[in-house]
Structure formats: structure tokens, C-alpha cells
Amino acid sequence: MRKTVSAIACLWLAACGSRGPDPGLAHHTALSRAEFNRWALRQNLGVYWVADANHDGQVQPDEVTSLLFFPVAGPWVEDGHFTARFEQAYAAMVEASRAAAGGGAPEDERQRLVGEDLDQGRSSLVQSDMSSLDERGKAFVDHMLHVASLVDTLYSTQAGAAALAARVPADDPASLSLFRRNWGPECVAPRTENNPACSAIPGAPKRVVDAYPAQLQADVGFCAQLDKRPDAAALLSPFTVVREQGGKLAAVSYAQAYEGPMKAIAAELDAATTSLDPAQEAPLIAYLHAAAASFRGNDWLAADEAWARMNATNSRWYVRAAPDETYWDPCARKAGFHLTFAQVDRGSLEWQAKLAPLQTEMEKRIAALAGAPYRARKVSFHLPDFIQVVVNAGNDRAPLGATVGESLPNWGPVANEGRGRTVAMTNFYRDEDSRAARRSQFASLFDATTMAGYSDDGQADLLDTILHEATHNLGPAHEYAVDGRKDGAVFGGPVASMLEELKARTGALYYLELLRQTGLVSDAQALNGYTYGVAWALGHIAQGMYTGTGRRKAYGNVAAIQVGMLIDAGALVRDAQAPAANGSDHGALSLRPGRVVAAVDDMMKKVAGIKARGDSAAAQALIARYVDSSEVVPHAIIAERMLREPRASFVYALRR
Ligand SMILES: [Zn+2]
């Protein structure tokens, strides 16, 4: 245990000059590890206490790391000692925490809410070890970090955050931190997102996305109006923005609208290839050049071809730099810019070999349940490559939580012909803090018997992700049309996205029995899988069904529909008297393993059938019963218990 008194700390707190050194400050014991990381976030400081390795309650130089994507990131340690900058940061954190504990300086309501929104995310570390890379490898990582920063700037423009950045009070670190984390001034955490006063900017100005003219967005129904126009297909195409030109609306290509930032990204992608060995990484080099060309010319489908030729065996890296997902867009049509930069985890190849022989059978089964007019297709899905994310940038870096599985691209021949890539991100939620928090959450809702089926060894969530992603390739998918109409036209964009996720999430449960029958998972592993699936759903129900601006949350809706259907089928029992596994809560959910297989078969029959027939009325009925009503799903109880623990808010660091 180090006992060195740090005189520097006294420079930052006036009080200690007269009363002698403040022991908490001097010994760095004033804040527990959880409080240290909480107040670092509140102060917008890129410092993280990784672990109290020697359990002495004292933060030490070898226990902290610098975080990426924060405005101030050290250096915190030099030659094994804390720097003056660290001492300054530490003193500021302690002062802020003491002010809050003592009722402190009068804060206005907005600032109080900002703190509450930040506190609902627990900084959870994603740390990648780059120390074994050679100089060239490290240079490649640096190029990718530069791409990440450029993509962040572009996405910030796209999402309408950049336009508001100057209005965040410069002397208010918590508001700056919220704006940085949330990609804009709005609050996003469950207890604060629906409070209009919660904002990083006084007056809570409305964020306007760059994808459509501001005036258009003043009307809440503008997406539906665009959808009805004869030129809707052009205006709502994914790689364009809508601009007003001469009094008319026109679709303008991303490469034209964002020419400067996109050319800068292209140049950096090209430059990154110089740090790769052509003998080892030829497919990645080809992709980076192709991606650079698409950032210049907006032809994303060409880059997709090069991208699809990469896999877990021919590259050690996973890189995707493109506009892809549409969840961020109020109309759910425009692709958001992102970078996923990850290392390939070879563990996927084992699952791939096990599941490949089953894919025809899997399609046959879902087609039989979906019924006419859907017919089983020849499917050739690739199972997810497992990746360990180094950094997520732009639309990828969510304020809270993280994407743990993704199938791309979303459009074009590579998607339509089943040649896309699916990945499972295996290094999120694996840190000790996240695992302990999840156990405590589920033990407040499950009874003891159900809790015994919950495992956090990482296997159940991995299999869940694999089956979820595999199911996106099965049954009625993106390109399926009923009477010539695709799902977006039949159900409307947000409901169509939700139903596709519902199918995939249902697949994660439904195919467990097939795997059990074929001996790929044991009875115990199958039970872990169902329990995990319900636990996953509880987590999303707690986050609410709609965003603060009234947009449908796809996963929240999916989760409520699944839990509701299990309850209606008697496979999940709500018992208001039963004690929860934690011994302190009353009223618990109990999974009935003997009923779950039949209930899940029935769930898949309903869900796949709705997509197969384009049955919008049946989809709306599910939403009415389980999403918009608490008659079956106890939304409020689930939220109250799950939200006692903050959500993971991932922060990134490199070990070099
Ligand atoms: Zn999905």
C-alpha cells in the first residue's frame, strides 16, 4: 500500500491549505472505484479506474487507463506516477462528489436531470490489448483511430448534433459529457428520456437531423407524408439526404452532401493500407480501397462486394466503414455512418462447422410454420464471425448498451443473394461489473428455481446471438415481398424493422430445441438458453417501448411481445406472492421448462406467419396487447426492479 502524501492535490482544493492535507485526496481514497468512474464521467474526463487490484480502496497509477473519445484523456500517469493533470482531475471529481453529497451548490433542475441521465449508465470498459502488435500493426491501429474520429464528426453532422454543439455551456462538464455520450442534447436513459426539461442545453432545443429539411421536420407526420409521395422511393433511398432545391424536394447523394468529410475518410482508408502486409491481408487491403472509392463516389454496393470477400480465416481484423443502419433516422430509412473496428475471434469457426449442416433443416422448419404464401428458399447463410470490438465509432457507439450482433449489408445484391456477413461481438458485457449487475437484476425478478437456470459463463448469450443472427437469414426476410410489396411498405418502416427483429429473437429461442435434439447442446444448456432469452427481454422491457420523441423501440417491443406470449402460453408464470431469488422482493416470474418448447413453437408460427402473409392487423394486435398495455406484461414492475442497476455505457481503451 502506498502512503505517499501528494502535495499537489492541495493545490486544487482551497480548504486543505488551512486545515492540512485532506487525507482522502492525498491518499486517493476519497472515492470508491464505482464513484471514481461515475464522477470521471460527470466531469467529462477520459480516465477510468480499471480494478482495485490490491483491494486497498486506493486508486493507484497501475490501476487506471486513458479512455478514447473523451476531450481530455491524460496523460494520467508518467514514469509510474500520477501526473499533475491526474491530481487536478481527481480533486475536481472529489469536489463535485462532495458538493452533490452535501446538497451542495444550488443546481438548476436541468443540471440535476443531466446528472441523473449520466448516472443511469455505468461506464463499462472495453479494453483491447495491442501490445503484441509490431510497429506496422500499431500504425494500422492509429489509422483506424483516425478514421473513427472522422466518422464521429460526420455522424455528428448527420444526426444533427454538430449543429447544436456550440450551445452546450462550455463551463458545464456534465452537460458536455452528456452531449458527447448521447450524440446530442437529449437525455436517453429510461428515467429521464421522457422529461422534456432534461437536456444538455438550456431551453432544451429540439435536435433536427441533417437528412431532411428542418422545416419538414417541424411536422411530426413528415415521414408518412414523404412515404405517400410518388417520388418516395428516391427521397427515402438510404444513401441520400433530402434537400429543398428551387422549392422542390430532391434526393442528394451523401458523397455530394458531405463531400469534404467523406473525402477525408477516403484518404485515411487508403492510407491505412500502407500499414498492412499484402501477403497477409490482401482481402482487407482490397476492401479498404473499395470503401475509400465508395466514400468518394457513393457506390456502396461495390464496396460490399469487396467486403463480403473478407472472413474470419483470411483477415485478423474486422473493419466496416460505411453508412448502414437506419434506427437513428426518425423515418428509419437513411443509413447512418459508422465504423466498426475489431479483431477476429476465431471461436466462431467451431460453431460454423457445427451449424452449417443444419441450415436447410432450419429453413424448412421456419417455412412450414410461416405457411403460405412463403416457401422454403435455398439458404446459404454464413454464421456469425465472432469479433472483439476495438472501437465503435459514429452510429455504432450507442450511449447505453451496445450492438452484440449484426448482419450487413442491408441492401443490394450482396444482401439479397445471402452473401453478406454476420458478426457477433463477444467482448461486451464480459467485464466483472456488468456480470455482477446483471445477476442482481435478474435475481430481483426470477424466482430461485428460474434463477438457477441462469448462467453468465458467456455461453448462453453467445449461442443466443448466433441463433438470432442466423434467423435473419431464414424465413421471410428483407427482400421477401407479398403481392409485390416488401415489409416496409406492408407494415410501415418501424413496425417492419421490429417484426424482423421479433423473428430473429424468436429464432434464438425456437432453434434451441433443434440443437438439443441433435445433441449440439445439452438439456442444461438449452435451459440456460431459454432463461437467458427471457432475461434479455426483461432488460429491454425495462428500457421502455418508445423513445422520448415517440419512436418505436424495436427491441423493447420485441421483448414485450415475447414475454407476453410466454405468459399467455403458461410457460412463464407471474406469481404476485412468490419471493424473488434475491430474497427481498415479492412477486416473481417463474419459467416452466415443460411448457416452453411448445410455447416457442407457437410464437414462431405466429411471428413468421405475420411476415409471410403481410398480416398488418395481426402485428398491430400483438402491439396492442403486449406493448401498449400492461394487462399481460408487468411493464412497471420489470422497469422498477431492472432499473435499480445502471445500464452499461461502454468506454474504450487500448493497451499498447
Ligand atoms: Zn437482429
Side-chain angles (χ1 to χ4, degrees), residues 252-266:
V252 175
S253 108
Y254 278 172
Q256 197 181 331
Y258 304 122
E259 185 182 354
M262 286 177 66
K263 280 187 171 166
I265 292 169

mmCIF file of all heavy atoms in Angstrom, residues 252-266:
data_model
loop_
_atom_site.group_PDB
_atom_site.id
_atom_site.type_symbol
_atom_site.label_atom_id
_atom_site.label_comp_id
_atom_site.label_asym_id
_atom_site.label_seq_id
_atom_site.Cartn_x
_atom_site.Cartn_y
_atom_site.Cartn_z
ATOM 1 N N VAL A 252 -30.287 14.060 -52.579
ATOM 2 C CA VAL A 252 -28.912 14.434 -52.900
ATOM 3 C C VAL A 252 -27.998 13.359 -52.313
ATOM 4 O O VAL A 252 -28.145 12.977 -51.150
ATOM 5 C CB VAL A 252 -28.565 15.810 -52.291
ATOM 6 C CG1 VAL A 252 -27.095 16.154 -52.504
ATOM 7 C CG2 VAL A 252 -29.467 16.891 -52.870
ATOM 8 N N SER A 253 -27.066 12.872 -53.120
ATOM 9 C CA SER A 253 -26.213 11.773 -52.661
ATOM 10 C C SER A 253 -25.357 12.209 -51.475
ATOM 11 O O SER A 253 -24.954 13.369 -51.367
ATOM 12 C CB SER A 253 -25.341 11.281 -53.819
ATOM 13 O OG SER A 253 -24.003 11.672 -53.635
ATOM 14 N N TYR A 254 -25.081 11.256 -50.580
ATOM 15 C CA TYR A 254 -24.216 11.546 -49.437
ATOM 16 C C TYR A 254 -22.888 12.135 -49.905
ATOM 17 O O TYR A 254 -22.361 13.067 -49.295
ATOM 18 C CB TYR A 254 -23.925 10.255 -48.652
ATOM 19 C CG TYR A 254 -24.992 9.823 -47.660
ATOM 20 C CD1 TYR A 254 -24.891 8.577 -47.040
ATOM 21 C CD2 TYR A 254 -26.063 10.641 -47.326
ATOM 22 C CE1 TYR A 254 -25.842 8.155 -46.118
ATOM 23 C CE2 TYR A 254 -27.018 10.226 -46.404
ATOM 24 C CZ TYR A 254 -26.903 8.976 -45.798
ATOM 25 O OH TYR A 254 -27.830 8.558 -44.877
ATOM 26 N N ALA A 255 -22.321 11.543 -50.965
ATOM 27 C CA ALA A 255 -20.988 11.963 -51.408
ATOM 28 C C ALA A 255 -20.985 13.429 -51.837
ATOM 29 O O ALA A 255 -19.962 14.104 -51.770
ATOM 30 C CB ALA A 255 -20.499 11.071 -52.541
ATOM 31 N N GLN A 256 -22.145 13.905 -52.254
ATOM 32 C CA GLN A 256 -22.262 15.315 -52.634
ATOM 33 C C GLN A 256 -22.548 16.169 -51.397
ATOM 34 O O GLN A 256 -21.902 17.199 -51.184
ATOM 35 C CB GLN A 256 -23.400 15.432 -53.648
ATOM 36 C CG GLN A 256 -23.394 16.711 -54.444
ATOM 37 C CD GLN A 256 -24.587 16.750 -55.414
ATOM 38 O OE1 GLN A 256 -25.065 15.719 -55.882
ATOM 39 N NE2 GLN A 256 -25.059 17.955 -55.688
ATOM 40 N N ALA A 257 -23.464 15.704 -50.569
ATOM 41 C CA ALA A 257 -23.855 16.495 -49.396
ATOM 42 C C ALA A 257 -22.715 16.630 -48.388
ATOM 43 O O ALA A 257 -22.591 17.639 -47.717
ATOM 44 C CB ALA A 257 -25.071 15.864 -48.730
ATOM 45 N N TYR A 258 -21.904 15.590 -48.280
ATOM 46 C CA TYR A 258 -20.836 15.569 -47.262
ATOM 47 C C TYR A 258 -19.472 15.396 -47.922
ATOM 48 O O TYR A 258 -18.622 14.642 -47.437
ATOM 49 C CB TYR A 258 -21.089 14.432 -46.261
ATOM 50 C CG TYR A 258 -22.438 14.487 -45.589
ATOM 51 C CD1 TYR A 258 -23.330 13.424 -45.688
ATOM 52 C CD2 TYR A 258 -22.824 15.601 -44.837
ATOM 53 C CE1 TYR A 258 -24.570 13.469 -45.075
ATOM 54 C CE2 TYR A 258 -24.073 15.656 -44.225
ATOM 55 C CZ TYR A 258 -24.941 14.587 -44.341
ATOM 56 O OH TYR A 258 -26.167 14.634 -43.732
ATOM 57 N N GLU A 259 -19.264 16.078 -49.039
ATOM 58 C CA GLU A 259 -18.087 15.825 -49.866
ATOM 59 C C GLU A 259 -16.768 15.939 -49.097
ATOM 60 O O GLU A 259 -15.919 15.044 -49.158
ATOM 61 C CB GLU A 259 -18.079 16.783 -51.059
ATOM 62 C CG GLU A 259 -16.940 16.477 -52.021
ATOM 63 C CD GLU A 259 -16.884 17.448 -53.205
ATOM 64 O OE1 GLU A 259 -17.791 18.288 -53.331
ATOM 65 O OE2 GLU A 259 -15.913 17.339 -53.974
ATOM 66 N N GLY A 260 -16.597 17.043 -48.341
ATOM 67 C CA GLY A 260 -15.329 17.260 -47.639
ATOM 68 C C GLY A 260 -15.018 16.158 -46.636
ATOM 69 O O GLY A 260 -13.978 15.490 -46.712
ATOM 70 N N PRO A 261 -15.908 15.934 -45.655
ATOM 71 C CA PRO A 261 -15.652 14.889 -44.651
ATOM 72 C C PRO A 261 -15.511 13.503 -45.261
ATOM 73 O O PRO A 261 -14.701 12.693 -44.786
ATOM 74 C CB PRO A 261 -16.890 14.955 -43.747
ATOM 75 C CG PRO A 261 -17.613 16.198 -44.067
ATOM 76 C CD PRO A 261 -17.121 16.725 -45.369
ATOM 77 N N MET A 262 -16.261 13.216 -46.311
ATOM 78 C CA MET A 262 -16.191 11.865 -46.884
ATOM 79 C C MET A 262 -14.883 11.656 -47.640
ATOM 80 O O MET A 262 -14.307 10.571 -47.621
ATOM 81 C CB MET A 262 -17.414 11.594 -47.764
ATOM 82 C CG MET A 262 -18.659 11.358 -46.906
ATOM 83 S SD MET A 262 -20.192 11.107 -47.819
ATOM 84 C CE MET A 262 -19.866 9.544 -48.641
ATOM 85 N N LYS A 263 -14.396 12.707 -48.304
ATOM 86 C CA LYS A 263 -13.094 12.581 -48.975
ATOM 87 C C LYS A 263 -11.974 12.386 -47.964
ATOM 88 O O LYS A 263 -11.007 11.668 -48.209
ATOM 89 C CB LYS A 263 -12.819 13.805 -49.852
ATOM 90 C CG LYS A 263 -13.547 13.747 -51.187
ATOM 91 C CD LYS A 263 -13.128 14.877 -52.108
ATOM 92 C CE LYS A 263 -13.698 14.662 -53.506
ATOM 93 N NZ LYS A 263 -13.585 15.884 -54.322
ATOM 94 N N ALA A 264 -12.095 13.053 -46.812
ATOM 95 C CA ALA A 264 -11.070 12.889 -45.770
ATOM 96 C C ALA A 264 -11.050 11.451 -45.261
ATOM 97 O O ALA A 264 -9.982 10.865 -45.039
ATOM 98 C CB ALA A 264 -11.341 13.868 -44.615
ATOM 99 N N ILE A 265 -12.221 10.861 -45.097
ATOM 100 C CA ILE A 265 -12.291 9.464 -44.655
ATOM 101 C C ILE A 265 -11.687 8.558 -45.723
ATOM 102 O O ILE A 265 -10.906 7.638 -45.427
ATOM 103 C CB ILE A 265 -13.755 9.070 -44.339
ATOM 104 C CG1 ILE A 265 -14.244 9.837 -43.103
ATOM 105 C CG2 ILE A 265 -13.881 7.565 -44.128
ATOM 106 C CD1 ILE A 265 -15.738 9.742 -42.845
ATOM 107 N N ALA A 266 -12.022 8.827 -46.982
ATOM 108 C CA ALA A 266 -11.486 8.021 -48.083
ATOM 109 C C ALA A 266 -9.960 8.043 -48.070
ATOM 110 O O ALA A 266 -9.298 6.998 -48.213
ATOM 111 C CB ALA A 266 -12.022 8.545 -49.422
#
